Amino acid sequence: KMFLKVTASQVKFMLRQKNARIVFYILLAMILTNFISNVLMFQGMDVINMYHPMKLLLLSWNRSIIGADLLFGFLQLYPLLVICPAGFSMAKEQQTGQHIILAARMGNKLYYFSKMTAAYIVTFLVFSLPFMIEIGLNCLAFPLNAQGDLSNWSYYDPSYKASVENYLFSKIFLCSPYISAMLGTILLGLFSGLLAAFTVAVSSVFRFRYRVFLFLPVFLLLNVTEIVSTILFNKGITFRLSWYNYFTLFNDEPKNIIYFLLSISILVALTFLGISIGGRKDCIQ
């Protein structure tokens, strides 16, 4: 009960902070820009020729066929944006000395784990809600019976079939593209929360004089996946390892689910290890 009460209190506090609100509004501005662009581009188009509403989402890799500026802009900013809502929360309290009071009242371990959990929840909400709003807007603005793909391939084209089979939720997509889009959005939120929790874990183990250095772990982590992916692809490995191939919607690049699950498991393990180490340290250090 104490853990839940403290975590809920910290979630409310973090959501009211300027950083969380700014990131939420940035994401909201991006999805509204994408939505308005779609409305202007496809207004008056016959439903037979219209593309599926979910394929027009900001996170849709399929939409990059006709315009990738917003999606690639989001992917470039993501390593920075994902830390801002709650990733600095631990470091900020360490610098002000507030963590000593909170740890003394709650116990060191409870304080660290509640901080990590709160950071996870806040970041999940900030990175899920704007894209869920866009899904709702697209359902209202575009015909739900539109089925087109922006590649303009026929459903019976072998290339289209191969493309769909590479989607992360390919079987669910065949049943309902709407559920597939919602699951993909939730997955991005869960991953974003994990990166924020990982940053909190890093700041609990290592003390940085300047909070800006806390951008580095996630920035390097995400960019390493791109570097390794490029090296292996040049050596003949067919599947891609870049993080965004697994967290954008309707991405038709070849994937390796074992690599995906193993990478997430390692990140979760490192996060809990870091928090456990931080929770055993003397809070006055």
Side-chain angles (χ1 to χ4, degrees):
K1 285 185 177 180
M2 179 68 170
F3 177 80
L4 294 176
K5 184 177 179 181
V6 170
T7 302
S9 176
Q10 293 201 48
V11 167
K12 291 178 184 177
F13 176 76
M14 291 182 194
L15 286 173
R16 290 196 296 265
Q17 296 303 295
K18 181 172 63 177
N19 285 2
R21 287 183 292 171
I22 288 175
V23 173
F24 180 83
Y25 291 139
I26 288 173
L27 296 178
L28 196 62
M30 293 181 79
I31 71 107
L32 289 175
T33 301
N34 187 65
F35 174 73
I36 293 170
S37 173
N38 287 333
V39 170
L40 295 176
M41 188 180 301
F42 300 113
Q43 61 180 339
M45 182 177 285
D46 192 282
V47 67
I48 297 175
N49 300 317
M50 184 60 195
Y51 303 111
H52 197 286
M54 297 299 96
K55 295 288 183 77
L56 302 176
L57 297 170
L58 173 63
L59 292 177
S60 171
W61 192 258
N62 190 243
R63 193 194 182 283
S64 64
I65 294 172
I66 60 168
D69 291 351
L70 278 172
L71 174 60
F72 288 172
F74 168 74
L75 296 178
Q76 291 293 321
L77 289 174
Y78 180 79
L80 304 179
L81 292 178
V82 75
I83 306 303
C84 292
F88 296 128
S89 56
M90 177 74 76
K92 185 177 181 181
E93 290 180 2
Q94 287 173 343
Q95 289 178 348
T96 60
Q98 189 179 3
H99 72 295
I100 298 174
I101 301 171
L102 293 171
R105 290 179 59 186
M106 301 162 49
N108 226 22
K109 278 194 174 181
L110 180 61
Y111 165 67
Y112 278 81
F113 275 96
S114 66
K115 181 64 68 176
M116 178 193 72
T117 305
Y120 187 98
I121 294 170
V122 167
T123 308
F124 168 77
L125 292 174
V126 170
F127 276 84
S128 297
L129 291 178
F131 298 110
M132 286 295 186
I133 290 171
E134 187 184 19
I135 289 174
L137 289 174
N138 277 21
C139 289
L140 291 173
F142 302 109
L144 299 180
N145 54 342
Q147 297 296 324
D149 183 272
L150 282 92
S151 64
N152 290 318
W153 284 328
S154 163
Y155 278 174
Y156 305 102
D157 191 312
S159 297
Y160 177 74
K161 182 181 178 182
S163 172
V164 170
E165 287 176 349
N166 284 328
Y167 292 174
L168 193 61
F169 300 107
S170 58
K171 292 183 180 179
I172 297 175
F173 170 80
L174 294 173
C175 297
S176 173
Y178 298 98
I179 295 176
S180 174
M182 287 189 285
L183 286 176
T185 299
I186 291 170
L187 183 65
L188 176 67
L190 293 173
F191 179 63
S192 301
L194 179 57
L195 292 179
F198 175 71
T199 304
V200 170
V202 169
S203 65
S204 72
V205 177
F206 305 102
R207 303 289 175 88
F208 295 97
R209 185 175 180 181
Y210 301 105
R211 274 178 270 170
V212 69
F213 288 116
L214 284 174
F215 282 116
L216 286 177
V218 166
F219 181 82
L220 293 174
L221 189 69
L222 296 179
N223 278 278
V224 161
T225 67
E226 175 64 13
I227 294 169
V228 173
S229 180
T230 302
I231 293 172
L232 293 180
F233 187 76
N234 291 335
K235 291 186 176 182
I237 300 297
T238 55
F239 58 84
R240 304 297 295 208
L241 305 181
S242 305
W243 69 273
Y244 51 79
N245 287 320
Y246 296 83
F247 296 99
T248 50
L249 305 177
F250 316 118
N251 187 298
D252 58 358
E253 293 288 342
K255 299 172 181 62
N256 187 302
I257 299 302
I258 295 175
Y259 155 78
F260 171 69
L261 295 175
L262 184 62
S263 300
I264 295 297
S265 299
I266 292 172
L267 188 56
V268 170
L270 289 175
T271 301
F272 276 94
L273 178 63
I275 285 294
S276 298
I277 293 172
R280 289 196 296 266
K281 291 172 66 176
D282 188 343
C283 64
I284 301 178
Q285 288 182 340

